[in-house]
Every structure is written in C-alpha cells, then in structure tokens.
Amino acid sequence: MLFFVIFQSIPWLLLLTLVVCLYLVWVDVKDEPGLEFQVKAWWFLLVLIFHVPGYLVFRVWIGA
C-alpha cells in the first residue's frame, strides 16, 4: 500500500499480489485459537500497509 501511495499508480501484478497476501492472512488468522480480534486486525492491517514484507513477517510469527 505504501508503494501505491508513494508512486501514485497501481501495477496490476502488485495489486493481485496484495489481494492474495490479504486472503492468505485472513485464512490463517480466522481460525487461530486464542487470538483476539484486535490482534487479527493488526496483522491484516500490517500486511495491507507493508504488502510483501509485512506478509513475510506474519509468516515468521505464525511459524514460531
């Protein structure tokens, strides 16, 4: 999202990648036991803002 805001354009491939990353985060956190809604929303927004690096950090956190 930061990339889109900074460069004022949305390449279709990056937009598709963002949508896929957001879907995968939603799939992972929706059934995570013991995780509050606020934490789920925080991860979703982190991936939305930072796109691929945010998704990679999320995957490391889920794996730990």
Side-chain angles (χ1 to χ4, degrees), residues 1-2 4 10-25 44-52 55:
M1 198 64 159
L2 278 170
F4 301 155
I10 302 173
W12 67 270
L13 184 60
L14 283 180
L15 183 61
L16 179 64
T17 306
L18 177 61
V19 169
V20 169
C21 286
L22 290 173
Y23 173 74
L24 291 174
V25 168
F44 189 82
L45 291 174
L46 181 82
V47 172
L48 179 67
I49 292 170
F50 293 110
H51 201 224
V52 175
Y55 182 72

Side-chain angles (χ1 to χ4, degrees), residues 21-63:
C21 286
L22 290 173
Y23 173 74
L24 291 174
V25 168
W26 176 74
V27 167
D28 283 338
V29 298
K30 73 177 176 133
D31 296 328
E32 190 70 27
L35 201 58
E36 296 178 19
F37 175 77
Q38 185 176 8
V39 176
K40 292 177 183 182
W42 185 85
W43 278 113
F44 189 82
L45 291 174
L46 181 82
V47 172
L48 179 67
I49 292 170
F50 293 110
H51 201 224
V52 175
Y55 182 72
L56 292 176
V57 170
F58 169 73
R59 295 304 304 172
V60 167
W61 180 78
I62 285 289

